[in-house]
Amino acid sequence: MSSNGLVEWGCDHCTLLFMSLQDLDTLLQQRRDEQELAQRLSEPVSVETLIELGRERGLTITEDDVFSAQLREDSDVPSAELQKRMADESRRLRHFIQG
């Protein structure tokens, strides 16, 4: 761990992944200051749209970053809440797939 509290990885690929995940965090923070961005992110958007919004602001965001951020967020959620989410998703899938 470095003096700034960040974990240092020994490969360029890992550093790039960490930096682009930071770019995703930056984009999500920018919505506080940018009314248009806040409006565009007020409803669910596709991963491609999120990547493009970052690109428009000079940020590098990948699909992996989006999934990593979601996993990071889910790691703080109690298991009972995760089970409830899975049950809700399962019900939606059951209604979607007729048979």
Side-chain angles (χ1 to χ4, degrees):
M1 188 173 292
S2 69
S3 60
N4 62 6
L6 299 176
V7 175
E8 294 179 356
W9 294 294
C11 70
D12 291 336
H13 177 70
C14 295
T15 302
L16 288 174
L17 284 175
F18 179 71
M19 292 303 295
S20 58
L21 186 56
Q22 282 184 328
D23 280 355
L24 175 59
D25 291 340
T26 298
L27 177 68
L28 296 176
Q29 290 173 352
Q30 287 177 352
R31 68 182 160 183
R32 292 185 212 153
D33 300 325
E34 294 182 35
Q35 183 64 29
E36 177 196 352
L37 181 60
Q39 179 63 33
R40 290 179 77 180
L41 294 176
S42 66
E43 296 183 20
V45 296
S46 69
V47 173
E48 293 81 14
T49 299
L50 198 56
I51 291 169
E52 183 58 32
L53 287 170
R55 187 177 302 132
E56 290 171 3
R57 288 158 179 79
L59 302 170
T60 303
I61 299 170
T62 66
E63 187 175 295
D64 287 340
D65 298 327
V66 177
F67 295 123
S68 294
Q70 187 173 11
L71 288 173
R72 179 181 63 187
E73 183 178 315
D74 287 348
S75 70
D76 294 333
V77 176
S79 60
E81 175 63 24
L82 290 174
Q83 289 173 347
K84 181 183 178 302
R85 289 181 191 175
M86 290 173 63
D88 292 343
E89 186 65 27
S90 176
R91 277 193 285 290
R92 277 193 294 263
L93 187 57
R94 234 177 302 139
H95 292 294
F96 176 74
I97 300 173
Q98 301 297 319

